[in-house]
């Protein structure tokens, strides 16, 4: 079964275990947990060192978001210098979240990420709500964002503006093709996801090198055509200027503090979208040797590298482009290298960005499909959504064997195990549901509106999970915690995260209203199911 780390940009898979002896706190994913002795027995098989954990955390965080989020950040702050500060704040907030999740992963023998911890602390309803929101909102909107970025990257190659309906069509067709590929076989999905990681890292490297080349070219010859835009060396980086957001110009000089708070919240969501993947620290914590000593080193080193990389990439954008154009495209990496080094550089980067986003979609399709299957198996969703493979390829035979490769069904027939039955073992109906929902988000939303919506949906549960950590510190002070960061880190995370969700809900009432309706519906379904 899949874990619930939202990608973005980075995703992983694993089984969720239940809190022992509590039928009311079963996470949606996976069978019941064994006892603490089992947990201690697993420690002997832990494979990750601090170096391995560092590599995992860096790889999971650096994803497709850094190629698109800068436009969301830039349009919601008054200056390029303020944008760089927002990226630092987003990195520090993610750092606090990673440390908090790592404490949960090291202290509690649950292996299912946020959902398992929510079930442990709050009970079954909260765990179901997270699965429900991720299936219906967070993951489909995330995949819609990535599809839109692919369309924007392809459209930015053209010398003339591409019509909005054409970009929507490209995004929809791209997503349909990606889902079809990922509905063939689980192994195909996993291999595709692994192969895209190197492409993401290479694209980040090329953007940073492009900015460095522009700086060197300007120092050698101030009139060089390779020195990027002129703003980076002719203007003050912290001087307030007007920006454009959702088709209208923002005048920062006459804006109230409350409105500035709303725009900064939207900007931070853009940065946090790119950092997403830090919540996988809980998985690292459950697999690392000597977590009390190795885990702090791995988290600190990984966050420093990721934060530094993102600062360098954004510096490169502001060097390569006129500042007025950074917020005008959701494919800023393509525009930046294309304008500085020519059309062929833009085409190359557009291909790399599109492939990187396709890799992110692949991870999300895998996760949301398995999550939907798990929800179906617990009868939270219709049973048909839990079926795997192609029904007409299944072969049936009378029960004649007790071989563990045979699954006995209530109707008195046996169906061979999926790995022996068919190469088509993907959850097709679950993927179909994700396909339909994502297409709706693609057609009805824009990059910025979807980014705010997805941010609210995910951070609602991030904050709830870390607040659960504070509850556990008070409720179970005797719980063994191999890694325990200072209480200031989870406290800051909860306070700042709550303020972000609260202000964003007011700043974007439509997205907040949709999310509230989904939460109400999910609560009713959970309560009816319990009764």
């Amino acid at each position: 079964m899949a874990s619930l780390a939202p990608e973005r940009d980075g995703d992983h898979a694993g089984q969720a275990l239940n809190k022992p002896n509590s039928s009311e706190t079963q996470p949606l994913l996976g069978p019941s947990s064994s006892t603490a002795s089992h947990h201690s027995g697993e420690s002997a098989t832990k494979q990750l060192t601090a170096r391995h954990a560092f590599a995992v955390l860096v790889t999971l965080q650096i994803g497709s978001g850094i190629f698109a989020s800068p436009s969301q950040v830039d349009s919601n702050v008054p200056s390029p210098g303020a944008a760089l500060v927002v990226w630092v704040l987003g990195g520090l907030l993610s750092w606090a979240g990673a440390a908090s999740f790592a404490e949960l992963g090291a202290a509690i023998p649950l292996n299912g990420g946020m959902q398992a911890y929510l079930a442990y602390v709050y009970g079954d309803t909260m765990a179901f709500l997270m699965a429900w929101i991720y299936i219906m909102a967070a993951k489909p909107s995330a995949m819609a964002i990535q599809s839109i970025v692919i369309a924007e990257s392809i459209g930015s190659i053209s010398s003339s503006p591409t019509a909005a309906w054409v970009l929507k069509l490209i995004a929809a067709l791209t997503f349909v093709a990606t889902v079809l590929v990922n509905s063939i076989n689980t192994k195909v999905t996993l291999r595709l996801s692994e192969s895209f990681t190197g492409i993401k890292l290479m694209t980040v490297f090329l953007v940073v090198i492009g900015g460095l080349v522009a700086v060197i070219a300007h120092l050698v010859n101030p009139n060089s055509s390779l020195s990027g835009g002129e703003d980076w060396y002719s203007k003050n980086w912290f001087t307030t200027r007007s920006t454009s957001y959702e088709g209208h110009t923002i005048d920062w000089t006459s804006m109230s503090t409350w409105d500035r708070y709303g725009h900064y919240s939207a900007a931070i969501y853009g940065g946090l979208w790119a950092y997403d993947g830090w919540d996988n620290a809980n998985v690292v914590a459950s697999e690392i040797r000597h977590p009390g000593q190795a885990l702090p080193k791995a988290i600190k080193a990984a966050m420093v590298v990721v934060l530094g990389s993102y600062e360098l990439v954004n510096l490169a954008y502001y060097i390569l482009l006129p500042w007025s154009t950074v917020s005008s495209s959701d494919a800023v990496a393509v525009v930046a290298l294309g304008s500085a080094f020519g059309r062929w550089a833009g085409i190359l980067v557009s291909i790399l960005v599109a492939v990187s986003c396709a890799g992110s979609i692949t991870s999300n399709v895998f996760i949301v499909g398995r999550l939907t299957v798990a929800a179906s198996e617990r009868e939270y969703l219709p049973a048909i959504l839990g079926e795997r493979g192609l029904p007409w390829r299944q072969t049936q035979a009378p029960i004649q064997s007790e071989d563990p490769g045979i699954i006995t069904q209530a109707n008195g027939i046996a169906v061979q195990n999926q790995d022996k039955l068919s190469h088509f073992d993907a959850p097709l109906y679950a993927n179909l549901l994700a396909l339909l929902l994502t297409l709706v988000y693609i057609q009805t939303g824009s990059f910025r509106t979807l980014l705010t919506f997805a941010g609210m949906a995910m951070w609602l549960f991030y904050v709830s999970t870390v607040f659960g950590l504070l509850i556990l510190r008070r409720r179970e002070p005797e719980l063994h915690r191999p890694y325990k960061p200072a209480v200031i880190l989870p406290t800051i995370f909860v306070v700042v995260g709550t303020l972000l969700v609260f202000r964003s809900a007011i700043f974007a009432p439509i997205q907040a209203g949709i999310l509230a309706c989904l939460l109400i519906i999910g609560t009713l379904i959970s309560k009816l199911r319990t009764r």
Side-chain angles (χ1 to χ4, degrees), residues 98-416:
S100 301
F101 270 56
E103 176 183 335
L104 289 169
I108 305 175
L110 301 176
N111 224 7
M114 270 193 301
Q115 189 192 40
Y117 305 137
L118 290 170
Y120 188 96
V121 178
Y122 303 104
D124 185 64
T125 297
M126 192 66 169
F128 166 73
L129 279 178
M130 186 211 160
W132 169 258
I133 293 299
Y134 266 60
I135 292 171
M136 303 300 294
K139 288 300 180 183
S141 58
M143 293 185 289
I145 291 170
Q146 291 148 1
S147 301
I148 291 171
V149 173
I150 292 176
E152 290 274 1
S153 299
I154 296 173
S156 63
I157 297 175
S158 175
S159 56
S160 57
T162 306
W165 71 269
V166 174
L167 293 177
K168 295 272 189 181
L169 180 62
I170 294 173
L173 292 177
T174 299
F175 182 71
V176 170
T178 306
V179 172
L180 289 176
V181 171
N182 285 283
S183 295
I184 296 173
N185 182 271
T186 299
K187 291 182 179 179
V188 172
T189 300
L190 294 176
R191 287 171 182 171
L192 285 173
S193 181
E194 292 171 359
S195 64
F196 289 138
T197 299
I199 295 176
K200 293 178 186 179
L201 298 177
M202 181 175 66
T203 308
V204 170
F205 179 75
L206 287 177
V207 173
V208 174
I209 291 298
L212 181 61
V213 169
V215 171
I216 294 174
H218 176 73
L219 294 176
V220 173
N221 178 13
N223 298 320
S224 172
S225 60
L226 298 177
S227 60
E230 298 180 355
D231 293 343
W232 68 274
Y233 59 82
S234 63
K235 294 183 179 179
N236 187 322
W237 282 64
F238 286 91
T239 298
T240 300
R241 89 288 197 225
S242 297
T243 58
S244 177
Y245 180 77
E246 291 294 312
H248 64 273
T249 301
I250 302 174
D251 183 7
W252 291 92
T253 58
S254 59
M255 184 179 297
S256 67
T257 302
W258 179 248
D259 288 335
R260 281 177 177 261
Y261 175 30
H263 281 288
Y264 272 102
S265 297
I268 292 176
Y269 269 145
L272 293 174
W273 167 260
Y275 283 107
D276 209 35
W278 55 262
D279 51 301
N280 292 279
N282 68 305
V283 175
V284 172
S286 66
E287 296 294 335
I288 194 171
R289 302 173 192 165
H290 311 297
Q293 295 77 38
L295 197 53
K297 297 178 182 177
I299 292 176
K300 290 177 183 178
M303 295 309 304
V304 167
V305 169
V306 174
L307 195 158
S309 297
Y310 283 2
E311 285 291 298
L312 290 175
V313 169
N314 280 280
L315 278 171
Y317 290 148
Y318 286 115
I319 290 170
L320 295 171
L321 285 173
W323 290 350
S324 60
T325 63
V326 173
S327 62
S328 62
S329 175
D330 297 328
V332 63
V334 179
V335 176
L337 290 183
S339 62
F341 303 109
R343 187 166 181 268
W344 287 108
I347 292 174
L348 172 62
V349 175
S350 70
I351 294 173
L352 293 176
V353 170
V355 174
S356 297
C357 291
S360 298
I361 294 174
T362 294
S363 297
N364 278 318
V365 169
F366 180 87
I367 285 177
V368 75
R370 274 64 188 177
L371 180 57
T372 305
V373 169
S376 174
E377 290 173 349
R378 291 204 60 188
E379 300 179 4
Y380 285 130
L381 294 175
I384 191 173
L385 294 175
E387 295 185 10
R388 295 171 179 265
L390 302 175
W392 58 85
R393 290 179 63 90
Q394 295 182 359
T395 59
Q396 297 180 344
I399 299 176
Q400 297 179 349
S401 171
E402 296 181 357
D403 184 89
I406 301 296
I407 302 174
T408 303
Q409 294 187 334
N411 59 3
I413 60 175
V415 179
Q416 292 183 351

